[in-house]
Amino acid sequence: MTDATATAADADWRASVQQSYRNAEVREISKVLAALEPGATPASKLRLASQFEATVFNTATSLENYRKTLAKRLKKLQKNYVPPVAAAAPTTDIQSTIKELRNHYGEDLLYILKHADTAVAEMKAKYGEEKAVQLRQHTDGVRIWATDLGVLPGTEENAKGITAEQLEKLKTYLERKTENIRAHIVKLADADRFLAETLAKKETDFAELANPQPSKILAQCAQRRHEHLYEKLHKTKPLQKPNELLADAMEKAQASVPLPTRSVSQQQLREGLSEADITRALKHLDKMRAAGTVCLAYMSIADKKTVPPKTLVKANQIVNEGIQVCQDVLKTQRENSPPVKLTLEDAWMKPLVFTTDEVVEDTGDAPPSKRRRLTSKRPVIRCRVLLTPNRKVPSNLLSALKRKGAKLIRPEPFGVGSHLLLNFECFEMVIYLVPLVVLIRAKENSTESRTTEDQTQADLNHRDQIYDENRHRWKPLHQGLTDNSKLEVWGATADGRTLGYIVQERLRDASAHATHALRQCFSSTAKATGDFETEILEATALLEFIKIARTTYIPDWVDLD
């Protein structure tokens, strides 16, 4: 056989070997190599195994020779392999390095672990499950680093169980990833700290600008806006220069506030909120107002290098302190103040507040015309899709109505005349959807009414918790205002014969005002197209009206769980 014939034969046997067969051999080689070195994995040895296999494959003369050579070399390698001995660093050097890393990164690692759960939950709510899983993987890695450094309570640094190579990898991870992970945690879980750190960074950036042109542009815009507001408030006093305004505002913001004495604290415990607490809260409000002026003056200064360092940081600390004090005072006041009792006259004395239906068109810089141009939203007087007959009630709407304490009454069999009932202490509000009408009536205290209500409660057997009242009847505005009724309004107490008619007219006015407010909420549904879009907008409008009704009559209303 000539050399040419042998070469052709070699090429023929290599061409007949499938790549999948060679890949299987590479995986087996990687397992053998990984078993020789402690701590290694087959995946980490794939590249070396591939090179090993390629060398044998290219030098073999046949498939049988290829198999024998692989087995022989692997067996020889297993017999004669000597693991490399890494130059072990002195234990004292490892301990000192771990101590330095712990002092430098320990506080950040503890901060990350403290707020990890909150940040992951926030990430899931904002960006989805995948992003939350990625963040959780990073925080789990931080926990391992903190354990190795002995940062976590009850752990000690792993000086004896860590090699110099592992310590170097740990140091690299800490330098590259700690700050990035911490930035995400702060942004997601600690808004106050994120704002404070952002303000400090922006101050540093402005002070180190090589080109002051952006700062000058910002100062010109802020100064122009400040002058516009000053003129709008009809101020006659000359406007201060930004540097002078900043100095005066900072002095007011840093004004001292007397701390409460022991006698005041005892009085607060005995009688609730004291006059000293109210005065202290008002002074902190003044300091917070001055801190806002500090920020405005800072933006109006062209050369930020002339501003004392950490001006914005100090202003932010003053605002945070003031917010905390005011929250504590309000909390004490609410805890010690008796709950405000809702009365019947509140039904018309507390009107539902919405934005006006008249919108003035912006004419830009054009001079004002003699007559204002007004545009009105298209009026909506009925619900087109939501809770209409033979239409199923959305399950999410049912749960939202339940949380807001709204009772849905949907007469059978087709749901004609569906409406909602909001119960308050002295009156009730009925919301009809076809047409959009609101009726506010005094609560009836007669025995007949209570019996009917008990019968209605006994019929609540719908699987979707829809309240069914087959014998529903129209109830007039004078419900609960009979001659024998006892009314307490405007500080007077009398029977229905004396005050009933007056109260009825006031309830009529309140119902008309609430009806107008309800239709204003539904005005956003006028341009909706399609049943699905219309139903979503109508449900949103209905929940908005219920929310405003609840918060108007009960300011501290919280949705039921």
Side-chain angles (χ1 to χ4, degrees), residues 254-262 264-265 268 274-284 287 321 325 329:
Q254 292 180 329
S256 60
V257 178
L259 296 175
T261 61
R262 169 176 284 185
V264 173
S265 300
Q268 178 178 343
S274 65
E275 189 67 27
D277 292 322
I278 298 177
T279 303
R280 186 160 57 97
L282 293 176
K283 288 185 177 180
H284 276 283
K287 287 162 63 70
E321 181 183 355
V325 171
V329 171

mmCIF file with all atom_site columns, all heavy atoms in Angstrom, residues 254-262 264-265 268 274-284 287 321 325 329:
data_model
loop_
_atom_site.group_PDB
_atom_site.id
_atom_site.type_symbol
_atom_site.label_atom_id
_atom_site.label_alt_id
_atom_site.label_comp_id
_atom_site.label_asym_id
_atom_site.label_entity_id
_atom_site.label_seq_id
_atom_site.pdbx_PDB_ins_code
_atom_site.Cartn_x
_atom_site.Cartn_y
_atom_site.Cartn_z
_atom_site.occupancy
_atom_site.B_iso_or_equiv
_atom_site.pdbx_formal_charge
_atom_site.auth_seq_id
_atom_site.auth_comp_id
_atom_site.auth_asym_id
_atom_site.auth_atom_id
_atom_site.pdbx_PDB_model_num
ATOM 1   N N   . GLN A 1 254 ? -32.232 75.828 59.456 1.00 0.00 ? 254 GLN A N   1
ATOM 2   C CA  . GLN A 1 254 ? -31.429 75.242 60.525 1.00 0.00 ? 254 GLN A CA  1
ATOM 3   C C   . GLN A 1 254 ? -31.748 75.837 61.889 1.00 0.00 ? 254 GLN A C   1
ATOM 4   O O   . GLN A 1 254 ? -31.015 75.598 62.850 1.00 0.00 ? 254 GLN A O   1
ATOM 5   C CB  . GLN A 1 254 ? -29.944 75.444 60.218 1.00 0.00 ? 254 GLN A CB  1
ATOM 6   C CG  . GLN A 1 254 ? -29.460 74.660 59.019 1.00 0.00 ? 254 GLN A CG  1
ATOM 7   C CD  . GLN A 1 254 ? -27.997 74.870 58.731 1.00 0.00 ? 254 GLN A CD  1
ATOM 8   O OE1 . GLN A 1 254 ? -27.449 75.938 58.996 1.00 0.00 ? 254 GLN A OE1 1
ATOM 9   N NE2 . GLN A 1 254 ? -27.336 73.856 58.187 1.00 0.00 ? 254 GLN A NE2 1
ATOM 10  N N   . ALA A 1 255 ? -32.838 76.596 61.981 1.00 0.00 ? 255 ALA A N   1
ATOM 11  C CA  . ALA A 1 255 ? -33.225 77.175 63.270 1.00 0.00 ? 255 ALA A CA  1
ATOM 12  C C   . ALA A 1 255 ? -33.529 76.062 64.268 1.00 0.00 ? 255 ALA A C   1
ATOM 13  O O   . ALA A 1 255 ? -34.106 75.028 63.933 1.00 0.00 ? 255 ALA A O   1
ATOM 14  C CB  . ALA A 1 255 ? -34.444 78.081 63.092 1.00 0.00 ? 255 ALA A CB  1
ATOM 15  N N   . SER A 1 256 ? -33.140 76.267 65.492 1.00 0.00 ? 256 SER A N   1
ATOM 16  C CA  . SER A 1 256 ? -33.327 75.252 66.528 1.00 0.00 ? 256 SER A CA  1
ATOM 17  C C   . SER A 1 256 ? -34.777 75.208 66.983 1.00 0.00 ? 256 SER A C   1
ATOM 18  O O   . SER A 1 256 ? -35.471 76.227 67.004 1.00 0.00 ? 256 SER A O   1
ATOM 19  C CB  . SER A 1 256 ? -32.409 75.537 67.718 1.00 0.00 ? 256 SER A CB  1
ATOM 20  O OG  . SER A 1 256 ? -32.710 76.809 68.264 1.00 0.00 ? 256 SER A OG  1
ATOM 21  N N   . VAL A 1 257 ? -35.196 74.030 67.356 1.00 0.00 ? 257 VAL A N   1
ATOM 22  C CA  . VAL A 1 257 ? -36.556 73.810 67.872 1.00 0.00 ? 257 VAL A CA  1
ATOM 23  C C   . VAL A 1 257 ? -36.425 73.242 69.275 1.00 0.00 ? 257 VAL A C   1
ATOM 24  O O   . VAL A 1 257 ? -35.723 72.238 69.465 1.00 0.00 ? 257 VAL A O   1
ATOM 25  C CB  . VAL A 1 257 ? -37.344 72.848 66.971 1.00 0.00 ? 257 VAL A CB  1
ATOM 26  C CG1 . VAL A 1 257 ? -38.733 72.585 67.553 1.00 0.00 ? 257 VAL A CG1 1
ATOM 27  C CG2 . VAL A 1 257 ? -37.446 73.393 65.573 1.00 0.00 ? 257 VAL A CG2 1
ATOM 28  N N   . PRO A 1 258 ? -37.064 73.858 70.278 1.00 0.00 ? 258 PRO A N   1
ATOM 29  C CA  . PRO A 1 258 ? -36.947 73.344 71.650 1.00 0.00 ? 258 PRO A CA  1
ATOM 30  C C   . PRO A 1 258 ? -37.480 71.923 71.751 1.00 0.00 ? 258 PRO A C   1
ATOM 31  O O   . PRO A 1 258 ? -38.541 71.590 71.217 1.00 0.00 ? 258 PRO A O   1
ATOM 32  C CB  . PRO A 1 258 ? -37.797 74.317 72.478 1.00 0.00 ? 258 PRO A CB  1
ATOM 33  C CG  . PRO A 1 258 ? -37.972 75.523 71.622 1.00 0.00 ? 258 PRO A CG  1
ATOM 34  C CD  . PRO A 1 258 ? -37.889 75.069 70.214 1.00 0.00 ? 258 PRO A CD  1
ATOM 35  N N   . LEU A 1 259 ? -36.738 71.079 72.417 1.00 0.00 ? 259 LEU A N   1
ATOM 36  C CA  . LEU A 1 259 ? -37.175 69.708 72.645 1.00 0.00 ? 259 LEU A CA  1
ATOM 37  C C   . LEU A 1 259 ? -38.230 69.666 73.742 1.00 0.00 ? 259 LEU A C   1
ATOM 38  O O   . LEU A 1 259 ? -38.219 70.511 74.647 1.00 0.00 ? 259 LEU A O   1
ATOM 39  C CB  . LEU A 1 259 ? -35.984 68.829 73.037 1.00 0.00 ? 259 LEU A CB  1
ATOM 40  C CG  . LEU A 1 259 ? -34.905 68.667 71.972 1.00 0.00 ? 259 LEU A CG  1
ATOM 41  C CD1 . LEU A 1 259 ? -33.727 67.876 72.536 1.00 0.00 ? 259 LEU A CD1 1
ATOM 42  C CD2 . LEU A 1 259 ? -35.454 67.990 70.739 1.00 0.00 ? 259 LEU A CD2 1
ATOM 43  N N   . PRO A 1 260 ? -39.148 68.736 73.703 1.00 0.00 ? 260 PRO A N   1
ATOM 44  C CA  . PRO A 1 260 ? -40.162 68.642 74.762 1.00 0.00 ? 260 PRO A CA  1
ATOM 45  C C   . PRO A 1 260 ? -39.536 68.266 76.093 1.00 0.00 ? 260 PRO A C   1
ATOM 46  O O   . PRO A 1 260 ? -38.652 67.414 76.173 1.00 0.00 ? 260 PRO A O   1
ATOM 47  C CB  . PRO A 1 260 ? -41.101 67.537 74.252 1.00 0.00 ? 260 PRO A CB  1
ATOM 48  C CG  . PRO A 1 260 ? -40.272 66.738 73.304 1.00 0.00 ? 260 PRO A CG  1
ATOM 49  C CD  . PRO A 1 260 ? -39.318 67.703 72.671 1.00 0.00 ? 260 PRO A CD  1
ATOM 50  N N   . THR A 1 261 ? -39.967 68.955 77.148 1.00 0.00 ? 261 THR A N   1
ATOM 51  C CA  . THR A 1 261 ? -39.445 68.674 78.488 1.00 0.00 ? 261 THR A CA  1
ATOM 52  C C   . THR A 1 261 ? -40.155 67.468 79.081 1.00 0.00 ? 261 THR A C   1
ATOM 53  O O   . THR A 1 261 ? -41.120 66.939 78.529 1.00 0.00 ? 261 THR A O   1
ATOM 54  C CB  . THR A 1 261 ? -39.653 69.894 79.396 1.00 0.00 ? 261 THR A CB  1
ATOM 55  O OG1 . THR A 1 261 ? -41.065 70.156 79.486 1.00 0.00 ? 261 THR A OG1 1
ATOM 56  C CG2 . THR A 1 261 ? -38.954 71.119 78.816 1.00 0.00 ? 261 THR A CG2 1
ATOM 57  N N   . ARG A 1 262 ? -39.647 67.022 80.238 1.00 0.00 ? 262 ARG A N   1
ATOM 58  C CA  . ARG A 1 262 ? -40.250 65.846 80.873 1.00 0.00 ? 262 ARG A CA  1
ATOM 59  C C   . ARG A 1 262 ? -41.696 66.143 81.283 1.00 0.00 ? 262 ARG A C   1
ATOM 60  O O   . ARG A 1 262 ? -42.579 65.301 81.128 1.00 0.00 ? 262 ARG A O   1
ATOM 61  C CB  . ARG A 1 262 ? -39.427 65.446 82.089 1.00 0.00 ? 262 ARG A CB  1
ATOM 62  C CG  . ARG A 1 262 ? -40.108 64.407 82.956 1.00 0.00 ? 262 ARG A CG  1
ATOM 63  C CD  . ARG A 1 262 ? -39.240 63.956 84.104 1.00 0.00 ? 262 ARG A CD  1
ATOM 64  N NE  . ARG A 1 262 ? -38.207 63.040 83.645 1.00 0.00 ? 262 ARG A NE  1
ATOM 65  C CZ  . ARG A 1 262 ? -37.368 62.417 84.472 1.00 0.00 ? 262 ARG A CZ  1
ATOM 66  N NH1 . ARG A 1 262 ? -37.425 62.654 85.775 1.00 0.00 ? 262 ARG A NH1 1
ATOM 67  N NH2 . ARG A 1 262 ? -36.470 61.584 84.006 1.00 0.00 ? 262 ARG A NH2 1
ATOM 68  N N   . VAL A 1 264 ? -43.800 68.143 79.880 1.00 0.00 ? 264 VAL A N   1
ATOM 69  C CA  . VAL A 1 264 ? -44.665 68.117 78.703 1.00 0.00 ? 264 VAL A CA  1
ATOM 70  C C   . VAL A 1 264 ? -44.952 66.685 78.281 1.00 0.00 ? 264 VAL A C   1
ATOM 71  O O   . VAL A 1 264 ? -46.069 66.338 77.916 1.00 0.00 ? 264 VAL A O   1
ATOM 72  C CB  . VAL A 1 264 ? -43.987 68.906 77.550 1.00 0.00 ? 264 VAL A CB  1
ATOM 73  C CG1 . VAL A 1 264 ? -44.781 68.745 76.255 1.00 0.00 ? 264 VAL A CG1 1
ATOM 74  C CG2 . VAL A 1 264 ? -43.886 70.375 77.912 1.00 0.00 ? 264 VAL A CG2 1
ATOM 75  N N   . SER A 1 265 ? -43.968 65.822 78.342 1.00 0.00 ? 265 SER A N   1
ATOM 76  C CA  . SER A 1 265 ? -44.174 64.426 77.967 1.00 0.00 ? 265 SER A CA  1
ATOM 77  C C   . SER A 1 265 ? -45.177 63.755 78.899 1.00 0.00 ? 265 SER A C   1
ATOM 78  O O   . SER A 1 265 ? -46.036 62.996 78.460 1.00 0.00 ? 265 SER A O   1
ATOM 79  C CB  . SER A 1 265 ? -42.837 63.678 78.006 1.00 0.00 ? 265 SER A CB  1
ATOM 80  O OG  . SER A 1 265 ? -41.924 64.258 77.101 1.00 0.00 ? 265 SER A OG  1
ATOM 81  N N   . GLN A 1 268 ? -48.530 64.953 78.009 1.00 0.00 ? 268 GLN A N   1
ATOM 82  C CA  . GLN A 1 268 ? -48.970 64.310 76.783 1.00 0.00 ? 268 GLN A CA  1
ATOM 83  C C   . GLN A 1 268 ? -49.510 62.913 77.058 1.00 0.00 ? 268 GLN A C   1
ATOM 84  O O   . GLN A 1 268 ? -50.508 62.496 76.471 1.00 0.00 ? 268 GLN A O   1
ATOM 85  C CB  . GLN A 1 268 ? -47.809 64.236 75.795 1.00 0.00 ? 268 GLN A CB  1
ATOM 86  C CG  . GLN A 1 268 ? -48.143 63.543 74.487 1.00 0.00 ? 268 GLN A CG  1
ATOM 87  C CD  . GLN A 1 268 ? -46.968 63.547 73.544 1.00 0.00 ? 268 GLN A CD  1
ATOM 88  O OE1 . GLN A 1 268 ? -46.032 64.304 73.699 1.00 0.00 ? 268 GLN A OE1 1
ATOM 89  N NE2 . GLN A 1 268 ? -47.030 62.684 72.546 1.00 0.00 ? 268 GLN A NE2 1
ATOM 90  N N   . SER A 1 274 ? -50.299 68.035 73.408 1.00 0.00 ? 274 SER A N   1
ATOM 91  C CA  . SER A 1 274 ? -50.151 69.279 74.148 1.00 0.00 ? 274 SER A CA  1
ATOM 92  C C   . SER A 1 274 ? -49.907 70.432 73.186 1.00 0.00 ? 274 SER A C   1
ATOM 93  O O   . SER A 1 274 ? -49.608 70.247 72.003 1.00 0.00 ? 274 SER A O   1
ATOM 94  C CB  . SER A 1 274 ? -48.979 69.166 75.131 1.00 0.00 ? 274 SER A CB  1
ATOM 95  O OG  . SER A 1 274 ? -47.763 69.013 74.418 1.00 0.00 ? 274 SER A OG  1
ATOM 96  N N   . GLU A 1 275 ? -50.002 71.647 73.705 1.00 0.00 ? 275 GLU A N   1
ATOM 97  C CA  . GLU A 1 275 ? -49.766 72.847 72.897 1.00 0.00 ? 275 GLU A CA  1
ATOM 98  C C   . GLU A 1 275 ? -48.322 72.910 72.431 1.00 0.00 ? 275 GLU A C   1
ATOM 99  O O   . GLU A 1 275 ? -48.030 73.386 71.334 1.00 0.00 ? 275 GLU A O   1
ATOM 100 C CB  . GLU A 1 275 ? -50.127 74.083 73.730 1.00 0.00 ? 275 GLU A CB  1
ATOM 101 C CG  . GLU A 1 275 ? -50.127 75.379 72.943 1.00 0.00 ? 275 GLU A CG  1
ATOM 102 C CD  . GLU A 1 275 ? -51.239 75.421 71.904 1.00 0.00 ? 275 GLU A CD  1
ATOM 103 O OE1 . GLU A 1 275 ? -52.263 74.756 72.120 1.00 0.00 ? 275 GLU A OE1 1
ATOM 104 O OE2 . GLU A 1 275 ? -51.062 76.124 70.895 1.00 0.00 ? 275 GLU A OE2 1
ATOM 105 N N   . ALA A 1 276 ? -47.403 72.430 73.275 1.00 0.00 ? 276 ALA A N   1
ATOM 106 C CA  . ALA A 1 276 ? -45.989 72.445 72.895 1.00 0.00 ? 276 ALA A CA  1
ATOM 107 C C   . ALA A 1 276 ? -45.732 71.556 71.685 1.00 0.00 ? 276 ALA A C   1
ATOM 108 O O   . ALA A 1 276 ? -44.911 71.881 70.817 1.00 0.00 ? 276 ALA A O   1
ATOM 109 C CB  . ALA A 1 276 ? -45.131 71.995 74.079 1.00 0.00 ? 276 ALA A CB  1
ATOM 110 N N   . ASP A 1 277 ? -46.425 70.417 71.603 1.00 0.00 ? 277 ASP A N   1
ATOM 111 C CA  . ASP A 1 277 ? -46.252 69.536 70.448 1.00 0.00 ? 277 ASP A CA  1
ATOM 112 C C   . ASP A 1 277 ? -46.749 70.200 69.169 1.00 0.00 ? 277 ASP A C   1
ATOM 113 O O   . ASP A 1 277 ? -46.130 70.082 68.105 1.00 0.00 ? 277 ASP A O   1
ATOM 114 C CB  . ASP A 1 277 ? -46.997 68.223 70.667 1.00 0.00 ? 277 ASP A CB  1
ATOM 115 C CG  . ASP A 1 277 ? -46.361 67.396 71.772 1.00 0.00 ? 277 ASP A CG  1
ATOM 116 O OD1 . ASP A 1 277 ? -45.121 67.395 71.854 1.00 0.00 ? 277 ASP A OD1 1
ATOM 117 O OD2 . ASP A 1 277 ? -47.090 66.785 72.554 1.00 0.00 ? 277 ASP A OD2 1
ATOM 118 N N   . ILE A 1 278 ? -47.874 70.894 69.267 1.00 0.00 ? 278 ILE A N   1
ATOM 119 C CA  . ILE A 1 278 ? -48.404 71.586 68.087 1.00 0.00 ? 278 ILE A CA  1
ATOM 120 C C   . ILE A 1 278 ? -47.438 72.673 67.641 1.00 0.00 ? 278 ILE A C   1
ATOM 121 O O   . ILE A 1 278 ? -47.161 72.843 66.449 1.00 0.00 ? 278 ILE A O   1
ATOM 122 C CB  . ILE A 1 278 ? -49.794 72.170 68.402 1.00 0.00 ? 278 ILE A CB  1
ATOM 123 C CG1 . ILE A 1 278 ? -50.772 71.033 68.744 1.00 0.00 ? 278 ILE A CG1 1
ATOM 124 C CG2 . ILE A 1 278 ? -50.315 72.989 67.235 1.00 0.00 ? 278 ILE A CG2 1
ATOM 125 C CD1 . ILE A 1 278 ? -52.139 71.505 69.146 1.00 0.00 ? 278 ILE A CD1 1
ATOM 126 N N   . THR A 1 279 ? -46.912 73.438 68.592 1.00 0.00 ? 279 THR A N   1
ATOM 127 C CA  . THR A 1 279 ? -45.950 74.488 68.250 1.00 0.00 ? 279 THR A CA  1
ATOM 128 C C   . THR A 1 279 ? -44.700 73.900 67.608 1.00 0.00 ? 279 THR A C   1
ATOM 129 O O   . THR A 1 279 ? -44.164 74.447 66.633 1.00 0.00 ? 279 THR A O   1
ATOM 130 C CB  . THR A 1 279 ? -45.573 75.273 69.519 1.00 0.00 ? 279 THR A CB  1
ATOM 131 O OG1 . THR A 1 279 ? -46.764 75.796 70.108 1.00 0.00 ? 279 THR A OG1 1
ATOM 132 C CG2 . THR A 1 279 ? -44.622 76.406 69.183 1.00 0.00 ? 279 THR A CG2 1
ATOM 133 N N   . ARG A 1 280 ? -44.230 72.792 68.139 1.00 0.00 ? 280 ARG A N   1
ATOM 134 C CA  . ARG A 1 280 ? -43.033 72.143 67.589 1.00 0.00 ? 280 ARG A CA  1
ATOM 135 C C   . ARG A 1 280 ? -43.286 71.672 66.155 1.00 0.00 ? 280 ARG A C   1
ATOM 136 O O   . ARG A 1 280 ? -42.435 71.828 65.277 1.00 0.00 ? 280 ARG A O   1
ATOM 137 C CB  . ARG A 1 280 ? -42.639 70.958 68.475 1.00 0.00 ? 280 ARG A CB  1
ATOM 138 C CG  . ARG A 1 280 ? -41.330 70.297 68.098 1.00 0.00 ? 280 ARG A CG  1
ATOM 139 C CD  . ARG A 1 280 ? -40.807 69.497 69.275 1.00 0.00 ? 280 ARG A CD  1
ATOM 140 N NE  . ARG A 1 280 ? -41.777 68.504 69.707 1.00 0.00 ? 280 ARG A NE  1
ATOM 141 C CZ  . ARG A 1 280 ? -41.749 67.226 69.326 1.00 0.00 ? 280 ARG A CZ  1
ATOM 142 N NH1 . ARG A 1 280 ? -40.798 66.801 68.518 1.00 0.00 ? 280 ARG A NH1 1
ATOM 143 N NH2 . ARG A 1 280 ? -42.644 66.377 69.778 1.00 0.00 ? 280 ARG A NH2 1
ATOM 144 N N   . ALA A 1 281 ? -44.467 71.106 65.898 1.00 0.00 ? 281 ALA A N   1
ATOM 145 C CA  . ALA A 1 281 ? -44.779 70.659 64.541 1.00 0.00 ? 281 ALA A CA  1
ATOM 146 C C   . ALA A 1 281 ? -44.864 71.835 63.573 1.00 0.00 ? 281 ALA A C   1
ATOM 147 O O   . ALA A 1 281 ? -44.389 71.761 62.435 1.00 0.00 ? 281 ALA A O   1
ATOM 148 C CB  . ALA A 1 281 ? -46.097 69.882 64.549 1.00 0.00 ? 281 ALA A CB  1
ATOM 149 N N   . LEU A 1 282 ? -45.450 72.953 64.019 1.00 0.00 ? 282 LEU A N   1
ATOM 150 C CA  . LEU A 1 282 ? -45.544 74.126 63.153 1.00 0.00 ? 282 LEU A CA  1
ATOM 151 C C   . LEU A 1 282 ? -44.163 74.699 62.833 1.00 0.00 ? 282 LEU A C   1
ATOM 152 O O   . LEU A 1 282 ? -43.914 75.156 61.707 1.00 0.00 ? 282 LEU A O   1
ATOM 153 C CB  . LEU A 1 282 ? -46.425 75.188 63.813 1.00 0.00 ? 282 LEU A CB  1
ATOM 154 C CG  . LEU A 1 282 ? -47.912 74.825 63.959 1.00 0.00 ? 282 LEU A CG  1
ATOM 155 C CD1 . LEU A 1 282 ? -48.658 75.901 64.716 1.00 0.00 ? 282 LEU A CD1 1
ATOM 156 C CD2 . LEU A 1 282 ? -48.545 74.608 62.587 1.00 0.00 ? 282 LEU A CD2 1
ATOM 157 N N   . LYS A 1 283 ? -43.273 74.683 63.798 1.00 0.00 ? 283 LYS A N   1
ATOM 158 C CA  . LYS A 1 283 ? -41.917 75.169 63.542 1.00 0.00 ? 283 LYS A CA  1
ATOM 159 C C   . LYS A 1 283 ? -41.186 74.271 62.547 1.00 0.00 ? 283 LYS A C   1
ATOM 160 O O   . LYS A 1 283 ? -40.437 74.760 61.689 1.00 0.00 ? 283 LYS A O   1
ATOM 161 C CB  . LYS A 1 283 ? -41.143 75.259 64.853 1.00 0.00 ? 283 LYS A CB  1
ATOM 162 C CG  . LYS A 1 283 ? -41.604 76.401 65.751 1.00 0.00 ? 283 LYS A CG  1
ATOM 163 C CD  . LYS A 1 283 ? -40.738 76.532 66.992 1.00 0.00 ? 283 LYS A CD  1
ATOM 164 C CE  . LYS A 1 283 ? -41.177 77.726 67.837 1.00 0.00 ? 283 LYS A CE  1
ATOM 165 N NZ  . LYS A 1 283 ? -40.343 77.882 69.053 1.00 0.00 ? 283 LYS A NZ  1
ATOM 166 N N   . HIS A 1 284 ? -41.415 72.991 62.650 1.00 0.00 ? 284 HIS A N   1
ATOM 167 C CA  . HIS A 1 284 ? -40.794 72.097 61.673 1.00 0.00 ? 284 HIS A CA  1
ATOM 168 C C   . HIS A 1 284 ? -41.378 72.312 60.277 1.00 0.00 ? 284 HIS A C   1
ATOM 169 O O   . HIS A 1 284 ? -40.663 72.166 59.272 1.00 0.00 ? 284 HIS A O   1
ATOM 170 C CB  . HIS A 1 284 ? -40.983 70.642 62.103 1.00 0.00 ? 284 HIS A CB  1
ATOM 171 C CG  . HIS A 1 284 ? -39.949 70.167 63.074 1.00 0.00 ? 284 HIS A CG  1
ATOM 172 N ND1 . HIS A 1 284 ? -38.665 69.834 62.682 1.00 0.00 ? 284 HIS A ND1 1
ATOM 173 C CD2 . HIS A 1 284 ? -39.982 69.994 64.416 1.00 0.00 ? 284 HIS A CD2 1
ATOM 174 C CE1 . HIS A 1 284 ? -37.963 69.454 63.738 1.00 0.00 ? 284 HIS A CE1 1
ATOM 175 N NE2 . HIS A 1 284 ? -38.741 69.535 64.809 1.00 0.00 ? 284 HIS A NE2 1
ATOM 176 N N   . LYS A 1 287 ? -39.504 75.155 58.895 1.00 0.00 ? 287 LYS A N   1
ATOM 177 C CA  . LYS A 1 287 ? -38.169 74.732 58.498 1.00 0.00 ? 287 LYS A CA  1
ATOM 178 C C   . LYS A 1 287 ? -38.217 73.974 57.160 1.00 0.00 ? 287 LYS A C   1
ATOM 179 O O   . LYS A 1 287 ? -37.346 74.147 56.301 1.00 0.00 ? 287 LYS A O   1
ATOM 180 C CB  . LYS A 1 287 ? -37.564 73.833 59.587 1.00 0.00 ? 287 LYS A CB  1
ATOM 181 C CG  . LYS A 1 287 ? -37.148 74.570 60.842 1.00 0.00 ? 287 LYS A CG  1
ATOM 182 C CD  . LYS A 1 287 ? -36.975 73.628 62.032 1.00 0.00 ? 287 LYS A CD  1
ATOM 183 C CE  . LYS A 1 287 ? -35.878 72.620 61.809 1.00 0.00 ? 287 LYS A CE  1
ATOM 184 N NZ  . LYS A 1 287 ? -34.531 73.228 61.810 1.00 0.00 ? 287 LYS A NZ  1
ATOM 185 N N   . GLU A 1 321 ? -36.538 65.032 58.836 1.00 0.00 ? 321 GLU A N   1
ATOM 186 C CA  . GLU A 1 321 ? -36.775 65.187 60.274 1.00 0.00 ? 321 GLU A CA  1
ATOM 187 C C   . GLU A 1 321 ? -38.127 65.838 60.537 1.00 0.00 ? 321 GLU A C   1
ATOM 188 O O   . GLU A 1 321 ? -38.878 65.424 61.433 1.00 0.00 ? 321 GLU A O   1
ATOM 189 C CB  . GLU A 1 321 ? -35.652 66.019 60.883 1.00 0.00 ? 321 GLU A CB  1
ATOM 190 C CG  . GLU A 1 321 ? -35.785 66.215 62.387 1.00 0.00 ? 321 GLU A CG  1
ATOM 191 C CD  . GLU A 1 321 ? -34.698 67.118 62.950 1.00 0.00 ? 321 GLU A CD  1
ATOM 192 O OE1 . GLU A 1 321 ? -33.792 67.504 62.174 1.00 0.00 ? 321 GLU A OE1 1
ATOM 193 O OE2 . GLU A 1 321 ? -34.752 67.426 64.152 1.00 0.00 ? 321 GLU A OE2 1
ATOM 194 N N   . VAL A 1 325 ? -41.409 64.256 62.627 1.00 0.00 ? 325 VAL A N   1
ATOM 195 C CA  . VAL A 1 325 ? -42.018 64.928 63.780 1.00 0.00 ? 325 VAL A CA  1
ATOM 196 C C   . VAL A 1 325 ? -43.508 65.150 63.544 1.00 0.00 ? 325 VAL A C   1
ATOM 197 O O   . VAL A 1 325 ? -44.345 64.889 64.428 1.00 0.00 ? 325 VAL A O   1
ATOM 198 C CB  . VAL A 1 325 ? -41.298 66.262 64.058 1.00 0.00 ? 325 VAL A CB  1
ATOM 199 C CG1 . VAL A 1 325 ? -42.060 67.066 65.100 1.00 0.00 ? 325 VAL A CG1 1
ATOM 200 C CG2 . VAL A 1 325 ? -39.876 66.006 64.529 1.00 0.00 ? 325 VAL A CG2 1
ATOM 201 N N   . VAL A 1 329 ? -46.728 63.659 65.688 1.00 0.00 ? 329 VAL A N   1
ATOM 202 C CA  . VAL A 1 329 ? -47.738 64.522 66.308 1.00 0.00 ? 329 VAL A CA  1
ATOM 203 C C   . VAL A 1 329 ? -49.137 64.147 65.833 1.00 0.00 ? 329 VAL A C   1
ATOM 204 O O   . VAL A 1 329 ? -50.086 64.050 66.621 1.00 0.00 ? 329 VAL A O   1
ATOM 205 C CB  . VAL A 1 329 ? -47.421 66.000 66.018 1.00 0.00 ? 329 VAL A CB  1
ATOM 206 C CG1 . VAL A 1 329 ? -48.572 66.900 66.463 1.00 0.00 ? 329 VAL A CG1 1
ATOM 207 C CG2 . VAL A 1 329 ? -46.136 66.419 66.724 1.00 0.00 ? 329 VAL A CG2 1
#
